[in-house]
Amino acid sequence: MNRILALLAAAAATPLLALGLWVGGALQLERLGGEIDARFEARFREQPSRVWSRPLRVVRGDRPERIDLAGHLARTGYREVSGAPARPGEYWRGEREWRIERRAFATPDGEQPGGTLRLLLDSRGRIATLRGAGGRKLADALLEPLRLSVEAGAAGRDREPIPLDALPPALIEAVLAAEDQRFFEHGGLDPQRIAGAFAANLRAGRVVQGGSTITQQLVKNLFLERERTFARKLREAVLAPLVEQRRSKREILEAYLNEVYLGQDGALALHGVGPASRHYFGKPATELELPEAALLAGILRGPSLYAPHRRPEAARERRDLVLRLLRERGQLAAEAYAAALAAPLGLAPRPGSLRSASWFLDALREELEGELGGEELGRAGLAIHTTLDPRLQVLAEGAVRRGLARLEGEQTRLARPDSPLQAALVALDPHSGALLAQIGGRDYARSQFDRATRARRQPGSVFKPVVALAALARQERLQPPFTLASVLPDEPLTVLALEGEWQPANHDGEYRGDVTLREALEQSLNVPIARLGGELGLRRIIGTARRLGIRSPLRSVPSLPLGTYETSLLEITRAYAVLAAEGLRAEGHAVRAVVDAEGRTVRAHRARPRRAFTAAEAYLVTSALEGAVNRGTGAGLRGLGFRGRVAGKTGTTDDYRDGWFVGYTPDLVVGVWVGFDDGASLHGSGSRTALPIFADFLIGALGPDGGRAFPRPAGIESIEVVADAAHPAGLRCRGEAEVFLEGSGPSRHARCRRPGWLTRFFARGAAEKDRGDPRQERGRGPGVRIHFGR
């Protein structure tokens, strides 16, 4: 009886169980359907962000070799051809002419059209004429920027969704012929193909043919793991018909073409025909021709097995197989078939990469991830237009590499495999504040630490121009307390401070007697500058540093004027940029603009320089720093071959731990640091360690003759004065010209007319008798003891 009741209960429960299973299955299918819809709708929204350099601007008067035109074209994937270029991405060069078929590209200022660009050179190799589309004369032209990176997030996938209607029919036909000839006939599964694949694999004794439809492959890419298991194939077979029920055939094909895996670009997986077309052919997928379309369709079966760059013969065989399938299906005429078979693979040169830009990109990611988040950056589809100049970055990389090799070759004790010698370099546009080039060390692969922005080192004498500016600038409309002709005693000095006594010394341990402020800066004399700091007061010096943009902590200690606080290379170089920009301070930046996937500018840098000092005040320091290069501690720059106008300052810290050189022209500011991470001695000053790297870079950037001269601003007057600007004109007047702020120069009695040679002869004797020989005063006497002002 109990058995009968149990059977009756089971029978009664069976419909309920079946109903529960049916409801649960329906809910599960509905959930899967919702996930399918969500993934399809997100396919155009989620794509990686791309980081771009600044485009190359070609201007009449440039030399192609100076702007590294061939290098830029190679780095951006252009192909040099022997005849007239016919397709975008090709160029030809002759003795007096270049022809470039430009690709269209986007900038923050809008789309730049492609088309022919002709460069006609004069007899000196300069660009005399630029002609664009239709032969129209141009003053300048832009060439596309270099893609610096693809920010793909943790997934590491490069995707570029393209609507199906925008893709060439030849590509769609080739993919269907190769992967799913009955795509528009089946409902997600193709029994006929499955049976054929089973028979082929049985005959071969191994897997030689797949039976998956395009829909099944899409399901695998979107929803399933890559492992080949029976359970995965079962889920694939369940999901494929569901996808076919919820989405149209065109939507499925479009999603497949934008999701399918097509190879690797380094660590970046190429998903979809968009990135694959740019990687293999250097062009958008919308411009693919028949042989290229057939090649992409051919490598779908095995992107690694048929990798065109590594296995060109295997790739050609697959391409030709796809062409034959198209011919057999009646989709290709005999003539077109023969021409496509005869065509080369047409692979574009691999675009060059700027490995040394990794420090720049690290800082950029940190900045943007702080605003967006790392994962958001990897799927937001942003176009990030940066300030990086690829030509200057290449020059910086080479200058640092050669400079370190030279130092280690000259002094073998500097070659330390365990903790190698390091260098950093930054280059800025002083007017906009744009970061143009950045090297953070000798080898990013060995050390990702950025010594240009993160290392905090004492700047040493490169801080002295800040002290000079504090002395030369007006405050509250009052005349400055010093001029470049002001006399500073260079004699032993003892400073009484809270920390105890401090006795600054010059780098050579000697004293020169009375020197002018100009001489002290040009010759980088420590004692007169320390004395100047005491006269000014540290508060004034710190205030000047803040106005220049220095934000590092500055302690009010007597040694501050000699650069004993810590700063970064980028920070001190930006301070010099204010001098180069005639007293204007521009906000430092590395991002020009960020444009979203819809083409809207979501962030743009607008240069709004603020007046920190007058142009005349900045010019006084620039004049002295020009002197430092021409006859002071930076004079080695001339011996290294740079003849142009430039201002700059060397820097060396105690025990030669750090070597610095920061210099500028009216349009470029460059800072170089050399040292060991552990603070070991370089056994040489900044003029021996950092200056040669600066010279190498500057000659490459501007040529040995440099650029334009520093403009002389209003508010400056030039006066001929005696050596100390205190004696009246007469026999002892040497008449050396000096620059002053208007109204701050010496009174009329201290000015002089330029004397003749006989007058100078007698004046020299009188002056020496009156003042004594300064050489006899070096190191003489107990020195001066002062309380250091704070």
Side-chain angles (χ1 to χ4, degrees):
M1 185 67 179
N2 291 335
R3 181 167 183 164
I4 295 174
L5 290 174
L7 289 173
L8 289 173
T14 299
L16 293 175
L17 179 61
L19 179 62
L21 290 174
W22 181 85
V23 171
L27 291 174
Q28 180 70 2
L29 289 175
E30 185 60 30
R31 186 188 65 79
L32 289 173
E35 186 177 346
I36 289 169
D37 292 341
R39 293 300 299 269
F40 267 81
E41 290 164 5
R43 71 188 186 280
F44 278 101
R45 291 197 311 269
E46 295 185 5
Q47 52 182 303
S49 298
R50 289 173 171 78
V51 182
W52 301 93
S53 73
R54 62 168 49 195
L56 176 66
R57 184 177 296 276
V58 183
V59 182
R60 284 185 301 175
D62 276 338
R63 294 179 184 272
E65 62 273 14
R66 195 191 74 78
I67 62 174
D68 192 22
L69 180 57
H72 183 84
L73 293 172
R75 285 189 289 272
T76 50
Y78 276 68
R79 180 192 300 112
E80 185 173 5
V81 295
S82 56
R87 299 185 296 180
E90 295 181 344
Y91 75 97
W92 167 86
R93 55 177 161 174
E95 185 177 350
R96 299 282 292 273
E97 180 181 359
W98 289 60
R99 293 188 185 183
I100 304 169
E101 283 298 324
R102 289 185 292 175
R103 297 187 287 243
F105 61 95
T107 72
D109 303 317
E111 292 288 330
Q112 294 291 320
T116 303
L117 177 66
R118 294 181 64 198
L119 285 63
L120 304 177
L121 311 183
D122 61 20
S123 59
R124 297 178 297 171
R126 299 181 184 273
I127 300 172
T129 306
L130 280 170
R131 293 190 181 275
R136 182 168 55 92
K137 282 190 175 182
L138 305 172
D140 59 12
L142 293 179
L143 291 174
E144 66 185 277
L146 176 66
R147 191 187 75 184
L148 299 175
S149 75
V150 175
E151 300 301 310
R157 294 184 175 188
D158 189 5
R159 296 177 63 250
E160 183 186 342
I162 303 172
L164 188 65
D165 290 337
L167 293 172
L171 175 63
I172 297 170
E173 292 169 358
V175 169
L176 292 177
E179 292 298 308
D180 196 345
Q181 296 182 6
R182 283 178 294 277
F183 173 72
F184 287 102
E185 302 168 14
H186 62 66
L189 302 176
D190 187 353
Q192 183 177 341
R193 178 169 182 169
I194 294 172
F198 178 78
N201 296 336
L202 192 61
R203 287 193 300 270
R206 58 187 177 88
V207 178
V208 296
Q209 183 176 329
S212 296
T213 64
I214 279 178
T215 311
Q216 288 176 274
Q217 294 181 51
L218 177 63
V219 165
K220 177 183 66 177
N221 289 331
L222 286 180
F223 304 106
L224 304 178
E225 300 295 330
R226 300 187 66 87
E227 289 80 5
R228 293 188 174 187
T229 63
F230 178 75
R232 194 208 74 183
K233 293 298 291 183
L234 186 61
R235 290 194 295 271
E236 186 180 296
V238 171
L239 285 172
L242 183 59
V243 169
E244 292 269 355
Q245 291 174 17
R246 301 187 72 96
R247 315 306 297 194
S248 70
K249 285 287 188 180
R250 290 182 59 82
E251 287 179 302
I252 294 170
L253 182 57
E254 181 181 85
Y256 172 78
L257 291 171
N258 284 301
E259 287 290 341
V260 64
Y261 173 68
L262 279 161
Q264 292 285 137
D265 182 3
L268 204 62
L270 303 174
H271 281 264
V273 296
S277 178
R278 294 189 185 277
H279 176 70
Y280 294 121
F281 308 114
K283 62 167 62 176
T286 54
E287 297 177 6
L288 287 174
E289 299 176 7
L290 174 61
E292 299 160 340
L295 179 59
L296 283 189
I299 66 175
L300 283 169
R301 184 64 55 84
S304 178
L305 186 62
Y306 305 113
H309 286 112
R310 290 188 294 107
R311 300 180 176 178
E313 292 305 319
R316 178 183 287 273
E317 288 180 8
R318 285 293 300 174
R319 182 201 68 174
D320 293 350
L321 171 62
V322 174
L323 292 172
R324 186 167 67 251
L325 291 173
L326 289 170
R327 174 66 179 151
E328 292 172 354
R329 288 165 57 85
Q331 295 175 300
L332 198 56
E335 297 80 4
Y337 174 59
L341 284 177
L345 290 182
L347 300 177
R350 294 190 181 187
S353 63
L354 291 178
R355 290 199 330 172
S356 64
S358 298
W359 288 287
F360 177 90
L361 291 170
D362 283 348
L364 188 76
R365 290 186 190 104
E366 184 175 340
E367 177 183 345
L368 293 176
E369 287 176 0
E371 298 178 12
L372 302 172
E375 285 305 307
E376 181 65 23
L377 184 62
R379 61 172 180 258
L382 303 174
I384 302 163
H385 300 273
T386 74
T387 61
L388 190 80
D389 186 316
R391 180 179 75 92
L392 295 183
Q393 183 69 24
V394 170
L395 290 173
E397 180 181 4
V400 166
R401 183 181 64 252
R402 289 185 292 269
L404 293 178
R406 177 191 59 80
L407 285 170
E408 292 173 338
E410 292 175 353
Q411 297 190 66
T412 56
R413 57 185 168 179
L414 298 181
R416 296 169 43 186
D418 56 328
S419 178
L421 184 61
Q422 299 287 348
L425 183 153
V426 292
L428 309 174
D429 178 340
H431 304 288
S432 67
L435 180 58
L436 304 176
Q438 176 181 344
I439 300 292
R442 72 182 297 152
D443 185 358
Y444 183 84
R446 289 191 60 179
S447 171
Q448 292 78 50
F449 181 65
D450 186 358
R451 296 158 187 84
T453 62
R454 295 187 177 278
R456 315 293 295 181
R457 310 288 290 231
Q458 291 185 359
S461 293
V462 294
F463 187 71
K464 289 175 180 174
V466 179
V467 183
L469 184 58
L472 297 170
R474 292 185 174 97
Q475 285 197 358
E476 298 178 355
R477 299 185 180 181
L478 299 176
Q479 291 291 8
F482 292 87
T483 71
L484 287 173
S486 296
V487 174
L488 301 171
D490 182 16
E491 57 188 30
L493 173 67
T494 299
V495 177
L496 305 178
L498 295 178
E499 295 83 1
E501 289 189 352
W502 175 61
Q503 294 180 321
N506 294 324
H507 60 88
D508 57 4
E510 297 188 354
Y511 301 94
R512 292 156 180 79
D514 288 347
V515 297
T516 64
L517 196 162
R518 173 185 285 277
E519 290 170 335
L521 197 54
E522 290 179 354
Q523 303 301 325
S524 197
L525 302 177
N526 291 334
V527 177
I529 296 297
R531 191 182 300 274
L532 179 63
E535 294 280 350
L536 292 171
L538 297 179
R539 182 177 300 175
R540 183 173 180 134
I541 295 172
I542 292 173
T544 300
R546 298 298 184 225
R547 289 166 68 186
L548 288 170
I550 295 175
R551 293 289 172 262
S552 294
L554 302 176
R555 293 182 59 219
S556 294
V557 295
S559 59
L560 174 67
L562 304 187
T564 55
Y565 73 98
E566 292 184 341
T567 185
S568 72
L569 174 63
L570 180 60
E571 186 176 44
I572 196 69
T573 306
R574 282 178 172 163
Y576 275 62
V578 178
L579 302 174
E582 300 182 89
L584 290 172
R585 195 179 90 198
E587 180 185 355
H589 65 285
V591 177
R592 294 175 60 212
V594 178
V595 180
D596 68 15
E598 281 72 44
R600 297 186 300 262
T601 300
V602 297
R603 173 181 169 183
H605 178 81
R606 299 284 183 261
R608 298 184 180 91
R610 291 180 294 173
R611 175 65 63 186
F613 295 89
T614 69
E617 291 165 346
Y619 181 80
L620 294 180
V621 181
T622 294
S623 174
L625 295 184
E626 279 194 281
V629 170
N630 291 331
R631 53 187 170 269
T633 56
L637 183 59
R638 300 306 187 195
L640 292 169
F642 186 76
R643 301 183 291 269
R645 300 291 293 271
V646 62
K649 185 71 188 72
T650 56
T652 310
T653 56
D654 288 347
D655 298 324
Y656 301 105
R657 292 190 185 96
D658 306 273
W660 300 79
F661 192 87
V662 184
Y664 56 94
T665 71
D667 301 302
L668 184 65
V669 189
V670 182
V672 177
W673 168 86
V674 179
F676 287 101
D677 289 340
D678 59 7
S681 177
L682 295 171
H683 305 286
S685 65
S687 61
R688 291 183 55 193
T689 56
L691 176 59
I693 295 175
F694 174 89
D696 188 345
F697 175 81
L698 196 65
I699 292 171
L702 302 179
D705 295 319
R708 62 191 178 100
F710 293 100
R712 181 165 172 165
I716 289 289
E717 60 180 346
S718 180
I719 301 174
E720 290 187 353
V721 297
V722 295
D724 60 6
H727 296 291
L731 289 177
R732 297 191 346 241
C733 175
R734 288 196 271 173
E736 296 180 356
E738 186 55 274
V739 289
F740 300 86
L741 298 181
E742 281 187 350
S744 69
S747 60
R748 179 173 297 276
H749 78 274
R751 306 183 186 186
C752 68
R753 300 182 183 88
R754 185 174 297 281
W757 70 269
L758 188 60
T759 304
R760 293 198 303 271
F761 174 79
F762 286 107
R764 185 178 303 114
E768 291 177 357
K769 182 179 179 181
D770 184 51
R771 295 189 309 225
D773 186 354
R775 291 173 295 180
Q776 298 176 4
E777 298 179 0
R778 295 176 185 171
R780 189 184 66 187
V784 177
R785 297 168 63 85
I786 66 170
H787 253 293
F788 204 88
R790 290 179 182 265

